Amino acid sequence: MTVSPISDRLADVESAVADGRTKIDWAYEHMPILQSLRADFEAEQPFAGLTIGMALHVEAKTAALVETLAAGGAEVAITGCNPLSTHDDVSAALDAHEAITSYAEHGVDETGYYDAIEAVIAHEPDITVDDGGDLVFRIHEEHPELIDSIIGGSEETTTGVHRLRSMDADDALDYPVFAVNDTPMKRLFDNVHGTGEASLSSIAMTTNLSWAGKTVVVGGFGQCGRGVARKAAGQNASVVVTEVDPRRALEAHMEGYEVLPMAEAAKKGDVFITTTGNRDVITPEHVQHMQDGVILANAGHFDVEIDLDGLADLAVEQRAVRDGVREYKLEDGRRINVLAEGRLVNLATPVSLGHPVEVMDQSFGIQAVAVRELATNGDAYDAGVHEVPDALDREVATIKLEAEDIQIDELTDEQAAYLDSWSQGT
Amino acid sequence: MTVSPISDRLADVESAVADGRTKIDWAYEHMPILQSLRADFEAEQPFAGLTIGMALHVEAKTAALVETLAAGGAEVAITGCNPLSTHDDVSAALDAHEAITSYAEHGVDETGYYDAIEAVIAHEPDITVDDGGDLVFRIHEEHPELIDSIIGGSEETTTGVHRLRSMDADDALDYPVFAVNDTPMKRLFDNVHGTGEASLSSIAMTTNLSWAGKTVVVGGFGQCGRGVARKAAGQNASVVVTEVDPRRALEAHMEGYEVLPMAEAAKKGDVFITTTGNRDVITPEHVQHMQDGVILANAGHFDVEIDLDGLADLAVEQRAVRDGVREYKLEDGRRINVLAEGRLVNLATPVSLGHPVEVMDQSFGIQAVAVRELATNGDAYDAGVHEVPDALDREVATIKLEAEDIQIDELTDEQAAYLDSWSQGT
Amino acid sequence: MTVSPISDRLADVESAVADGRTKIDWAYEHMPILQSLRADFEAEQPFAGLTIGMALHVEAKTAALVETLAAGGAEVAITGCNPLSTHDDVSAALDAHEAITSYAEHGVDETGYYDAIEAVIAHEPDITVDDGGDLVFRIHEEHPELIDSIIGGSEETTTGVHRLRSMDADDALDYPVFAVNDTPMKRLFDNVHGTGEASLSSIAMTTNLSWAGKTVVVGGFGQCGRGVARKAAGQNASVVVTEVDPRRALEAHMEGYEVLPMAEAAKKGDVFITTTGNRDVITPEHVQHMQDGVILANAGHFDVEIDLDGLADLAVEQRAVRDGVREYKLEDGRRINVLAEGRLVNLATPVSLGHPVEVMDQSFGIQAVAVRELATNGDAYDAGVHEVPDALDREVATIKLEAEDIQIDELTDEQAAYLDSWSQGT
Amino acid sequence: MTVSPISDRLADVESAVADGRTKIDWAYEHMPILQSLRADFEAEQPFAGLTIGMALHVEAKTAALVETLAAGGAEVAITGCNPLSTHDDVSAALDAHEAITSYAEHGVDETGYYDAIEAVIAHEPDITVDDGGDLVFRIHEEHPELIDSIIGGSEETTTGVHRLRSMDADDALDYPVFAVNDTPMKRLFDNVHGTGEASLSSIAMTTNLSWAGKTVVVGGFGQCGRGVARKAAGQNASVVVTEVDPRRALEAHMEGYEVLPMAEAAKKGDVFITTTGNRDVITPEHVQHMQDGVILANAGHFDVEIDLDGLADLAVEQRAVRDGVREYKLEDGRRINVLAEGRLVNLATPVSLGHPVEVMDQSFGIQAVAVRELATNGDAYDAGVHEVPDALDREVATIKLEAEDIQIDELTDEQAAYLDSWSQGT
């Protein structure tokens, strides 16, 4: 039940630290927003005297955030938010930092996982940073006495925010938590560019197939679907979109994409990519219309977008035909190839590297300023789920522009007055 | 003061009616949404017994709307909303319809203009349809006794809605008016595709210049700016974006466009297109940096986006060098070419044809269902400005999809339940 | 039979010269290649003592070439190459130049046209510049005694080059002529960018229709077809390509376009644009499958690409429905709209302005260096049709780069040696 | 010196055959051209009685070709063309075919490599298929007595063709060899789409970086450069092109790309991709201008495009920072990251899979018909290097269209006559 830091558990700590350091440095080298914030934090020490408890995927990009918070004066205690996503070398490199204690270890069992959560909580954090909400939930359930001294928290994911809103609706969330997931900066770039690009690269590098001349069916035309469609068209694929919403369908049509019901699209597609956030986007009924050798991948959400159980029932045979590709053979001999077992194809194939570095730079940039907001202005927020203030989201945009050395114009007083006269009436 | 219909005032009515009919038929041939609605209206007669008063640009596309309302059983009285935008032949063709009386005449003076407004009001309309709000204002000011019997109105433009909201804020708007301008269907397609495409075509056909290899500076990255940028890049121009908003600037950067302050962009641009909805986007200070022979055009808003007075002060000479092009010669000999006197380049050059037909089909489709909503369900709306209900906006999207013979999927019960469980918490 | 210069025939010469000057200045302002060459020619006077006879479309862009040759010391005599393409004001402005005599007049009859050709020949040109070959043919037929003193000529068009090659094959071409039409610089930019952009702009400004969401069928995937397809896709049209060549068809497929036989494409298209250089690309059989309201346009070649006679036979009624649009009504009521009477849509609609200025700058830049080559190195060429030497084509590319202030790298000696070792074997 | 087939040398042949079979089946499933040709060959047995000797990269895609030739009646003996590219399981699966003997084994030393070549030659092939020319050279040097009975050969690569042309120039090539590398079908799709897409995917999956908003400098605007530029722009990168040829530079400019000398591009780029086929495209002088953290990759040719020796001299430290990424640290701390040690990034990173399957389908389709041409019409070819007849290249295009179920039009007699009248003169 008492868990010691990762460094106590590794055979060759020095080597692990060196490997982890190389990985972290690579990510940080390409994270201009965190670089800029770290410089500010080093100068201003906004977290001096505060302890931050974190439960996130402990890999290189996250580590760049952790070290950025530490640079701002925080004591950090961290563990993983998923037993399989921890890189032990990164965990060791973090633990080697004098202001950071890392408990994350790859592949621990459920007991070990929650022991590590407890170990973080034992640091009595002033601020919590979660990916999935485990710290918040555990503290509310097991350590309510700590809540009074907690300034607030932030939450990275849709799922976590969803759970926190449920708590909040039941009046059961007793400190303020920022919903980092919902910010424009995160949603727009992550979904359109991050998911779009990484999904296509992952599919190409898993299958050894190319895009030019392929018919790519994109299930759903939300932010992710738009990203996948644009990036696929940008590789000279012919894009077909399916939708359930008439306005989105019309938007897709006006972009120049073909819009079809899935049952029709099924006949034309070479590659199918679901992005809906819903279940059963591709069902056995659709599969019945598909050509031999098609590729099915999910870039939207959980592994329910493709009805794999239904597909398994339909198939007379299943087998792994490549790393990351499962073939379902139908009675008439057609082969249906499912990537990454229907899980997110940009994250879950053997070659996937998780979200691109720049995407996480933006996302973690918002985390960093959200934590700074708690540290410097936490009193302003009541218990409950809060949107990240728009000014913070815009601040991160500004930092990124400056990091990229991009200047923009400013409204003159006359221009501001002119706009004002419009928006407020004469 | 008593105005008679246009037909009483034309020398050769028959020929005018024939010419107007040809123009209207061309537009209507390419307006599938109005075609579909007209078929419904003919069957259902939603406007039977109602009089509709209208003040819109009386040209071919508008006429297709007017005849669609008449087909639904309405008596229509119409006049123009701008003395210069009326096509007399279209006006005559409308007036030839037994259920329509048109008072619109090109080039009338202010007295004639308001007399015609009065003539429309004299029909005691049950519903008003405005472009700029003149009918609503006149009725409130001069004929308040009519208000009790008026079901409601609809307003096409930003400017009109702006004025109506001011009235509403003063509790001075005494019947419900739909703000057609603000609907997603209108905003998205009109701005991105309509303004984008028509601006570029108008510039090309006014200047005889091509886009490939040109550096096009787009002032502003709102909906219009995005449209202009995408369409210009789609013609192989190199696009530079200027912005005052860091998040929009970053979006432009992530699209792959160069982002610069206008003072820097001024040095690189061959063509400058403002789309901000603000004033002074291009000022004499910027012009000082420009190359000889640059083209300046406005695709955003009023003729204040380019500071023409400032430019005139800077210039040592001005002259018209082509239809729709005014050259400002600077002291050092450089020539700055302003299109359409800084007014909307997609509407105001000699070759411009107004918005594309399909854009107005969408916009007028919303007008038609908004008027139908008033006719069939007007009691549900209090006095004041109302958003067009989202269901109506989506209905028009659905009609367009059907008209284009595009089928889409429907949510199954299981899918709807799944989404529901997400959005509402477990 | 004796023709006097245009200035002798105009009522108000001064005003015509002023108007023509404005038009020429506009074009020249946007022709950086000619600007650069003119500066060189002024300094070097390569044409001092030479007379150049020209028969070209006498409009503003051509005038910029004529004045550039004059600036290099030439005496120029010019007339039109088509009685309908001459702008009298441009002709007058040229004639006002002391070194230029212009005989071109709009709308002259056949006798007047050939009299003007004779008037140019009477100047006993040392070099001829043709568009269609009339000067060359007339000299060979009627004034063979002049041939000995002629250094050579250049020919702008496909048709002219075609006729000259026939003469050459019969050993009947007695002086060297450069085939300007066939150079890479002309073909690539003119066809892909010039034809592509100008065709789409002309169609949009003739019909008031937009491209987004339209299905555009491009007949042929040669250089023009590629240009039209790319530019249409760049306006968010969905592009369908028809071809007779399997490799080109496959290229179109690999670009992401749908490839269909015309009979199938006919069912899907909203707009059809032929670019094949062949006849009967769209026939009555295809028209039978088309939707009501389709647009047919030709961007390839002569007015035979669309079988208009066949279409006329099929139609029960024909009429002009807009400037530049002829409607053919079929028995079942469907309306087929043909633009510009099937002639080149980028040149022959009422709003068309001919090729974009920059395209002609490139084409006339090659003319200018070809004429300079004759003037300075004419002895090197035997009688017959000659390709423009590749070095001259590249020189024009270099001039354009310099004019646009674009620097490029140079091969180092080591790199040149490395390439050399590859191309010549070890 | 006597080498036995791979199956004699593996511990668990059965398992290797099964693994190899799975890999081959995946590739073949996505190779419609070979599928179509195999069906024909099975019916027609064009290779009945012939022995084909092959030295190619023995991996899954190649195996699909080998089995296609065997299906046409050939006895095949095969070995690798590079000791490191052989997959033993694929080799074993081939060797398990009764008509195929495979000698290829991964990682053999030079002696083993040439022994295997000899083993293939000992089969006394009627036709040779080479990748690099080793079979042809070895036969000419060591076994000239076999040449009389050899019908001919085919060669896959640029390098091989280059060496064969040198032999031919010295009159030392004594049987006909087809230069498969130079065909339009191979060059166009392989370079533009294959290299373009695979290079970008490989870089993304090696670095975990995204493309949106990046400045990508493409060295060279030949076929590969165009492909890389287009695909990068299609992922929302901002593309800068460097060139030494003015016409290509101008083409790039007219596409809308920025064109700069490398010394200037060096200051702006985030990622640099060389595609020139030349050496020293990126030199220490350029590196001096680069930003910290840039990525250098080569997609053109040998590992000389980036001057790695010069970079090593410049660096104060080198180390591997990720699989496939070497960091060169400069004196001032800037880090320059070189991918795949400067070798082809689409082939040589740890995640690279070689050319996409469809690209090799096209390339091997040409190989298959070239071999068929030798088998059925070999007498028609003299000793020496031959272009693959255009009709064969077009045949492969036709097969691909049919496999993709794409129909195209055919010229009518009238159209053929019309074209003919044009190309031959009246």
Side-chain angles (χ1 to χ4, degrees), chain C residues 142-210:
Chain C
E142 308 282 337
H143 306 280
E145 74 284 359
L146 294 178
I147 288 175
D148 264 5
S149 67
I150 292 180
I151 302 172
S154 73
E155 166 56 44
E156 176 78 9
T157 64
T158 311
T159 320
V161 169
H162 183 60
R163 291 169 71 188
L164 290 168
R165 286 198 200 281
S166 294
M167 275 179 79
D168 199 7
D170 295 345
D171 266 334
L173 180 59
D174 295 329
Y175 64 79
V177 182
F178 282 128
V180 168
N181 182 69
D182 295 352
T183 56
M185 281 288 288
K186 178 166 196 301
R187 228 163 3 176
L188 188 61
F189 300 117
D190 185 340
N191 292 348
V192 173
H193 297 296
T195 299
E197 291 184 24
S199 298
L200 295 187
S201 293
S202 292
I203 294 172
M205 299 307 281
T206 299
T207 63
N208 199 15
L209 300 176
S210 65

Side-chain angles (χ1 to χ4, degrees), chain B residues 360-374:
Chain B
M360 296 317 297
D361 186 36
Q362 219 142 284
S363 181
F364 286 149
I366 299 165
Q367 284 280 14
V369 296
V371 171
R372 188 197 61 195
E373 176 71 2
L374 290 170

Side-chain angles (χ1 to χ4, degrees), chain A residues 162 230 247 255 393 422, chain B residues 162 230 247 255 393 422:
Chain A
H162 183 61
R230 283 177 54 182
R247 213 153 42 196
E255 293 289 316
D393 195 59
W422 262 95
Chain B
H162 183 61
R230 282 176 55 183
R247 211 152 44 194
E255 293 288 316
D393 196 59
W422 262 95

Side-chain angles (χ1 to χ4, degrees), chain D residues 114-137:
Chain D
Y114 284 105
D115 287 351
I117 295 275
E118 285 292 331
V120 168
I121 293 171
H123 286 252
E124 301 195 356
D126 302 288
I127 292 170
T128 59
V129 179
D130 260 315
D131 181 308
D134 279 344
L135 283 176
V136 173
F137 302 132

Side-chain angles (χ1 to χ4, degrees), chain C residues 76-377:
Chain C
V76 180
I78 184 168
T79 185
C81 64
N82 178 322
L84 296 176
S85 65
T86 295
H87 290 226
D88 285 347
D89 50 5
V90 171
S91 183
L94 284 176
D95 197 52
H97 190 294
E98 69 179 326
I100 301 170
T101 311
S102 177
Y103 299 94
E105 183 178 359
H106 184 84
V108 291
D109 62 13
E110 197 176 332
T111 306
Y113 177 74
Y114 282 106
D115 286 351
I117 295 275
E118 284 293 330
V120 168
I121 294 171
H123 286 252
E124 302 195 355
D126 301 289
I127 291 169
T128 58
V129 179
D130 261 315
D131 182 308
D134 279 344
L135 283 176
V136 174
F137 302 134
R138 193 83 175 186
I139 287 169
H140 279 73
E141 282 166 18
E142 308 282 337
H143 306 280
E145 74 284 359
L146 294 178
I147 288 175
D148 264 5
S149 67
I150 292 180
I151 302 172
S154 73
E155 166 56 44
E156 176 78 9
T157 64
T158 311
T159 320
V161 169
H162 183 60
R163 291 169 71 188
L164 290 168
R165 286 198 200 281
S166 294
M167 275 179 79
D168 199 7
D170 295 345
D171 266 334
L173 180 59
D174 295 329
Y175 64 79
V177 182
F178 282 128
V180 168
N181 182 69
D182 295 352
T183 56
M185 281 288 288
K186 178 166 196 301
R187 228 163 3 176
L188 188 61
F189 300 117
D190 185 340
N191 292 348
V192 173
H193 297 296
T195 299
E197 291 184 24
S199 298
L200 295 187
S201 293
S202 292
I203 294 172
M205 299 307 281
T206 299
T207 63
N208 199 15
L209 300 176
S210 65
W211 295 107
K214 286 281 185 310
T215 297
V216 175
V217 176
V218 181
F221 203 62
Q223 291 298 319
C224 285
R226 272 152 226 246
V228 170
R230 282 177 55 182
K231 305 285 175 169
Q235 301 297 294
N236 300 102
S238 173
V239 172
V240 175
V241 170
T242 74
E243 248 303 335
V244 295
D245 179 281
R247 212 152 44 194
R248 286 182 171 182
L250 188 51
E251 282 186 83
H253 171 68
M254 299 290 275
E255 292 289 316
Y257 303 129
E258 187 166 11
V259 177
L260 291 174
M262 185 59 86
E264 290 303 310
K267 299 172 189 167
K268 302 188 75 166
D270 298 304
V271 182
F272 296 76
I273 306 176
T274 59
T275 69
T276 66
N278 206 333
R279 54 181 288 185
D280 302 335
V281 184
I282 295 178
T283 66
E285 283 68 38
H286 303 138
V287 169
Q288 293 288 22
H289 299 296
M290 290 181 181
Q291 304 174 58
D292 180 34
V294 294
I295 307 290
L296 311 188
N298 169 32
H301 177 65
F302 298 130
D303 59 0
V304 299
E305 301 223 357
I306 302 167
D307 177 3
L308 290 177
D309 291 341
L311 183 52
D313 290 346
L314 200 66
V316 295
E317 194 187 319
Q318 279 188 39
R319 57 178 187 139
V321 288
R322 289 176 78 82
D323 278 359
V325 185
R326 175 161 287 273
E327 174 192 281
Y328 294 78
K329 188 169 269 182
L330 305 188
E331 203 159 11
D332 59 7
R334 278 177 299 144
R335 290 157 294 186
I336 308 298
N337 299 292
V338 176
L339 267 54
E341 303 180 8
R343 290 181 290 138
L344 285 172
V345 74
N346 50 330
L347 300 177
T349 74
V351 296
S352 299
L353 298 165
H355 287 298
V357 174
E358 303 89 339
V359 164
M360 296 318 296
D361 186 35
Q362 219 143 285
S363 181
F364 287 149
I366 299 165
Q367 285 279 14
V369 296
V371 171
R372 188 198 60 195
E373 175 72 1
L374 290 170
T376 58
N377 195 29

Side-chain angles (χ1 to χ4, degrees), chain A residues 53-55 79 113-114 117-118 120-121 125-144 146-147 150-156 160-161 163-165 167-168 172-179 374 383-385:
Chain A
M54 307 178 82
T79 185
Y113 177 75
Y114 282 106
I117 296 276
E118 285 292 333
V120 168
I121 294 172
D126 302 288
I127 291 169
T128 59
V129 179
D130 260 315
D131 181 309
D134 279 343
L135 283 176
V136 174
F137 302 132
R138 193 81 176 189
I139 287 169
H140 278 73
E141 281 166 20
E142 308 282 338
H143 306 281
L146 294 179
I147 288 175
I150 291 181
I151 304 171
S154 74
E155 166 58 42
E156 175 78 9
V161 169
R163 292 169 68 189
L164 291 167
R165 288 199 198 280
M167 278 179 77
D168 198 7
L173 180 59
D174 294 329
Y175 64 81
V177 183
F178 282 127
L374 290 169
V385 176

Side-chain angles (χ1 to χ4, degrees), chain A residues 158-159 162 166 184-185 188-189 193 230 242-247 249-251 253-255 259-262 277-281 301-302 304 362 390 393-394 397-398 400-401 404 406-411 414-415 418-419 421-423 425-426, chain B residues 158-159 162 166 184-185 188-189 193 230 242-247 249-251 253-255 259-262 277-281 301-302 304 362 390 393-394 397-398 400-401 404 406-411 414-415 418-419 421-423 425-426:
Chain A
T158 311
T159 319
H162 183 61
S166 294
M185 280 288 287
L188 187 63
F189 301 117
H193 297 297
R230 283 177 54 182
T242 75
E243 250 300 335
V244 296
D245 178 281
R247 213 153 42 196
L250 188 51
E251 281 186 83
H253 170 67
M254 299 289 275
E255 293 289 316
V259 177
L260 291 174
M262 185 58 87
N278 205 332
R279 54 180 288 186
D280 302 335
V281 183
H301 178 69
F302 298 131
V304 299
Q362 220 143 283
D390 198 56
D393 195 59
R394 295 163 62 94
T398 303
K400 171 100 180 194
L401 288 176
E404 301 273 344
I406 296 169
Q407 273 87 46
I408 63 173
D409 287 314
E410 280 183 47
L411 284 182
E414 289 79 8
Q415 287 180 312
Y418 185 87
L419 280 188
S421 74
W422 262 95
S423 56
T426 331
Chain B
T158 311
T159 320
H162 183 61
S166 295
M185 280 288 288
L188 187 61
F189 301 117
H193 297 296
R230 282 176 55 183
T242 75
E243 249 300 337
V244 295
D245 179 281
R247 211 152 44 194
L250 189 51
E251 282 185 83
H253 171 67
M254 299 290 274
E255 293 288 316
V259 177
L260 291 174
M262 185 58 86
N278 206 333
R279 54 180 289 185
D280 302 335
V281 184
H301 177 68
F302 298 131
V304 299
Q362 219 142 284
D390 199 57
D393 196 59
R394 296 164 61 93
T398 302
K400 170 99 179 194
L401 288 175
E404 301 272 342
I406 297 170
Q407 273 88 46
I408 63 172
D409 287 315
E410 282 183 45
L411 283 182
E414 289 79 6
Q415 287 181 313
Y418 185 86
L419 280 188
S421 74
W422 262 95
S423 56
T426 329

Side-chain angles (χ1 to χ4, degrees), chain A residues 42 228 413:
Chain A
E42 278 168 351
V228 171
D413 293 345

